[in-house]
Amino acid sequence: MKREENLDGLRQSPKVDVCIIGGGINGISVFRELALQGLNVLLIEKHDYCSGASSALSRMVHGGLRYLENGEFKLVQESLIERDRLLRNAPHYVAPLPTTVPVFDIFSGLGNGIVRFLGLSRRPSRRGAVAIKAGLSIYDFLTRKRALMPRHQFRGRRATLAKWPRLNPDIKSSATYFDAWVSHPERLGIELLQDGLLATSGAMALNYAELRRTENGQYHVEDQIGGASVAVEPALIINATGGWIDIANQTLFSPEAQPAPLMGGTKGSHLIIDNAELRDALADHMIYYENEDGRICILFPYLGKVLVGSTDIRVDDPETVRCETDERDYILQSLAFVLPDITIRPEQIVFQFSGVRPLPASTDSFTGRIPRDHFCTVLEPSEGGPPVLCMIGGKWTTFRSFGELAADMALERLGRRRRVATTDRPIGGGRAFPADTSVWLSQVASGKGFSGARMAELFARYGMDAEAIAGFIAAGPDAALPHASYSVRELQVLIRDEAVEHLEDLLLRRTTLAVSGELSLDMTDAVLDLLAQEKRWTPGHRASERHRFLTLLNERHGVGEDMLSARNEPRSTECDTTAKSG
Ligand SMILES: Cc1cc2nc3c(=O)[nH]c(=O)nc-3n(C[C@H](O)[C@H](O)[C@H](O)COP(=O)(O)OP(=O)(O)OC[C@H]3O[C@@H](n4cnc5c(N)ncnc54)[C@H](O)[C@@H]3O)c2cc1C
């Protein structure tokens, strides 16, 4: 991922088969698809990879139980197939998740579900046991041939409260089924990108860059880091900018040839809560519950904390979305409804995040009813120039099939043939996954001179790539960082190999330091020193990076400098960084 080499390559040969704009999970997915077919493909991301909706998801890899009531059976079936593929192709990040639905009624929701399915009503309503049973039976039916996970199971009130005694005692019963979750969605995006880059020398990717259309209809890549402007001649452009699709189209077409709007995004926010009582009350399950207004919310253990969300609010511009006070109150109120005797103190909210669901344009007044399916459409510029294939909609779970669909349309358009399928292709650190991870771990740990605990930690972060990372760490003197289990050489390898351009890339996306609520001010400064050294930043540049990061963390993630300082207290979880500690 060498920036200057990429720009030089482009200067020497500006013709590319496809230029993709948008480096979220869907843009990266189609990038990998096309690179694997041997095309010259360029990916341009205006911010960092997976920094939009692809870092704001509920971290569920799921069929979408509630889409059944909208009649989206095809989407649910496709999502379940992709979920099961991800369990196999990315086992280092995607794992089964037992999910429990508290049930407050017996019959309600059933009639409404049918009425909605017939298009007679769009209003959300309570879902009773019968409606939930019907949905879960369809889920089981759709996965019956693969059956990777157990079928659903109902528990009566007494058995439910025995297992989850803190649940709202008004419940009538509960249903448990299995879906999946992703621990490191942003890292999976980076690994997918690397797989594409390794597939062919004709694949190039740049974060912090934009594609600009000049007045005479030519295209330039504008590099925000070095300031270069390099001409590029794509045969086809793919607009994979998710919630930004209409804004991006405005820059790709002349003012006289602006296309009609395609997108109608809704914002969703989540909180990460550090409250042991809450975490323990979940008994390692996701609680998939409806709030009093009938909206679905989720709650599950995530990296030692609890992830809870989300909201669903229409927005026009995804650029600066953040969790607003009323959303935070809504989420906390929903929590108080489902687990009434657990109190959350404000300082226990250790991180928050928001993103925009890239939903198709819709006039539906109930946002939860807007279709979640994906499709592509090709816009032909009347003024000449390359056609623009727009990717609309899509869930994180279905990124592979959506990327495949867009790639097939691009291949057909360019008169090229598919050579490689991605259906069973492992992703990044999911390759050659051992049947018995403990044997593999102890072999690699002893080979590299690491303790078993440190090797297990690297494995949880990088899957099978942990071996190469351990090799890099062991090849030089390592050192601990304040209050976190990441070490200096571990971060160095991420900085060098994973297109880190700003401090936030490292702290928010290549690592889980910020989202897990582990990040302290000391740690922030130590990582900044490391990054400044690697990038040879001047003291002035270092200071402006520090300001940029602290402002972003405060404004977008609700973590002020005072919260970071408070985490400077010594911690009991010591880091085992000595490569040769045995
Ligand atoms: C609150 C919430 C919860 C969700 N939960 C789940 C879930 O649990 N499971 C699930 O499967 N899905 C979930 N989703 C949906 C999923 O996150 C998205 O569908 C998916 O991440 C969209 O990916 P994308 O690549 O299309 O968009 P994005 O990730 O938004 O990527 C678009 C990228 O385009 C870039 N960009 C914008 N303009 C330009 C430009 N002019 N040039 C270059 N780049 C540009 C942006 O910077 C951005 O990185 C959720 C979404 C939200 C918001």
Side-chain angles (χ1 to χ4, degrees):
M1 294 199 188
K2 304 290 176 248
R3 199 169 189 92
E4 277 313 313
E5 281 171 30
N6 278 337
L7 288 165
D8 277 346
L10 216 49
R11 283 185 190 103
Q12 279 155 29
S13 53
K15 279 193 194 309
V16 295
D17 296 317
V18 179
C19 176
I20 300 161
I21 58 169
I25 198 69
N26 287 323
I28 293 176
S29 173
V30 66
F31 172 78
R32 178 180 80 141
E33 291 281 339
L34 293 172
L36 283 167
Q37 317 314 322
L39 267 70
N40 291 328
V41 53
L42 169 68
L43 175 69
I44 299 292
E45 163 57 50
K46 143 167 118 152
H47 300 302
D48 187 26
Y49 303 116
C50 290
S51 59
S54 302
S55 63
L57 63 154
S58 304
R59 278 133 169 87
M60 289 163 71
V61 178
H62 63 151
L65 188 57
R66 79 187 168 86
Y67 308 141
L68 288 174
E69 64 188 16
N70 291 354
E72 296 192 82
F73 294 101
K74 191 183 128 296
L75 171 67
V76 174
Q77 182 165 30
E78 179 177 338
S79 304
L80 286 169
I81 292 172
E82 292 302 323
R83 178 198 76 182
D84 291 352
R85 285 190 174 130
L86 278 166
L87 284 164
R88 283 197 310 270
N89 294 336
H92 56 317
Y93 292 148
V94 179
L97 178 66
T99 302
T100 291
V101 189
V103 180
F104 291 90
D105 285 294
I106 306 294
F107 293 109
S108 67
L110 190 65
N112 263 305
I114 295 166
V115 167
R116 264 196 311 272
F117 182 54
L118 295 174
L120 302 177
S121 164
R122 312 290 296 163
R123 189 175 292 276
S125 66
R126 276 278 169 96
R127 296 147 187 95
V130 179
I132 292 167
K133 176 85 191 162
L136 291 176
S137 301
I138 296 173
Y139 235 59
D140 286 343
F141 179 77
L142 293 174
T143 50
R144 69 196 182 285
K145 289 200 179 126
R146 299 184 301 279
L148 293 182
M149 294 184 281
R151 295 166 71 88
H152 80 270
Q153 177 201 352
F154 263 80
R155 282 185 179 87
R157 180 172 186 276
R158 189 183 301 176
T160 304
L161 289 175
K163 189 162 171 67
W164 294 280
R166 313 294 291 271
L167 273 182
N168 186 329
D170 290 344
I171 56 155
K172 300 282 184 289
S173 61
S174 69
T176 296
Y177 69 103
F178 275 77
D179 247 323
W181 69 294
V182 53
S183 56
H184 299 67
E186 305 88 352
R187 286 208 54 78
L188 190 136
I190 287 288
E191 293 186 7
L192 206 62
L193 183 73
Q194 283 171 330
D195 288 355
L197 290 168
L198 288 174
T200 170
S201 58
M204 265 183 272
L206 285 172
N207 51 357
Y208 298 104
E210 275 187 82
L211 188 70
R212 286 254 168 263
R213 185 181 188 278
T214 61
E215 274 180 10
N216 56 10
Q218 289 176 332
Y219 290 95
H220 280 245
V221 173
E222 310 283 348
D223 174 21
Q224 295 167 21
I225 301 295
S229 174
V230 182
V232 59
E233 296 168 33
L236 176 74
I237 294 174
I238 295 184
N239 183 348
T241 58
W244 285 262
I245 201 161
D246 294 320
I247 300 169
N249 271 342
Q250 283 168 17
T251 67
L252 298 176
F253 293 86
S254 69
E256 300 77 43
Q258 288 293 307
L262 298 167
M263 198 66 83
T266 69
K267 172 172 78 150
S269 299
H270 292 87
L271 308 178
I272 302 279
I273 298 179
D274 186 5
N275 177 313
E277 226 185 324
L278 175 64
R279 193 192 55 224
D280 295 347
L282 304 179
D284 291 329
H285 279 228
M286 168 182 276
I287 305 292
Y288 185 86
Y289 63 102
E290 53 182 6
N291 196 5
E292 284 165 296
D293 59 2
R295 257 196 52 72
I296 296 287
C297 296
I298 57 111
L299 178 62
F300 76 104
Y302 182 69
L303 306 176
K305 309 291 187 308
V306 174
L307 171 69
V308 53
S310 67
T311 50
D312 204 355
I313 300 164
R314 278 190 189 278
V315 288
D316 292 327
D317 185 355
E319 198 61 38
T320 53
V321 292
R322 62 175 183 188
C323 179
E324 302 292 348
T325 314
D326 55 341
E327 291 179 272
R328 195 171 147 130
D329 291 348
Y330 175 88
I331 295 171
L332 291 176
Q333 170 273 321
S334 82
L335 202 53
F337 166 68
V338 73
L339 293 160
D341 69 345
I342 296 183
T343 307
I344 309 297
R345 295 197 308 275
E347 69 274 16
Q348 291 176 330
I349 301 172
V350 293
F351 192 77
Q352 55 197 41
F353 57 88
S354 280
V356 174
R357 299 176 185 87
L359 306 178
S362 161
T363 52
D364 206 314
S365 51
F366 296 103
T367 49
R369 303 277 170 249
I370 303 173
R372 261 45 178 181
D373 208 351
H374 54 248
F375 61 95
C376 297
T377 189
V378 180
L379 303 176
E380 308 283 352
S382 52
E383 62 236 313
V388 179
L389 189 157
C390 298
M391 296 176 75
I392 300 141
K395 296 164 60 186
W396 193 93
T397 307
T398 50
F399 70 77
R400 195 211 60 83
S401 54
F402 195 13
E404 182 184 64
L405 173 76
D408 284 342
M409 285 177 72
L411 290 170
E412 190 181 337
R413 186 89 203 191
L414 299 172
R416 304 281 291 265
R417 282 194 322 119
R418 177 173 281 277
R419 302 194 309 212
V420 179
T422 52
T423 39
D424 298 316
R425 198 178 182 88
I427 298 166
R431 259 187 295 270
F433 212 70
D436 188 339
T437 50
S438 57
V439 172
W440 185 85
L441 277 173
S442 65
Q443 278 168 357
V444 179
S446 66
K448 304 285 179 208
F450 277 54
S451 71
R454 173 67 167 144
M455 203 58 229
E457 190 172 66
L458 293 177
F459 184 70
R461 286 178 194 153
Y462 312 107
M464 299 301 283
D465 290 347
E467 184 168 8
I469 294 199
F472 178 88
I473 296 172
D478 201 10
L481 286 162
H483 319 133
S485 57
Y486 285 84
S487 73
V488 165
R489 280 186 72 79
E490 184 181 347
L491 292 190
Q492 261 168 355
V493 72
L494 302 185
I495 295 170
R496 291 177 194 176
D497 291 353
E498 296 192 352
V500 171
E501 298 296 345
H502 289 288
L503 185 58
E504 73 224 35
D505 306 342
L506 199 53
L507 295 178
L508 288 171
R509 290 174 287 275
R510 308 300 183 272
T511 67
T512 52
L513 279 162
V515 71
S516 64
E518 275 181 76
L519 191 65
S520 66
L521 196 59
D522 283 352
M523 178 69 178
T524 305
D525 282 321
V527 178
L528 181 56
D529 285 340
L530 189 64
L531 188 57
Q533 197 182 12
E534 287 284 316
K535 298 273 182 198
R536 301 203 174 99
W537 284 343
T538 61
H541 192 146
R542 183 196 181 281
S544 73
E545 267 295 315
R546 188 176 194 273
H547 177 72
R548 174 189 164 109
F549 177 71
L550 293 179
T551 307
L552 178 92
L553 202 64
N554 187 27
E555 290 181 357
R556 303 285 287 277
H557 301 288
V559 183
E561 202 172 327
D562 51 337
M563 284 171 76
L564 287 182
S565 307
R567 295 185 199 154
N568 278 346
E569 301 298 316
R571 294 198 168 194
S572 54
T573 44
E574 285 283 302
C575 156
D576 167 18
T577 51
T578 39
K580 312 283 180 207
S581 62

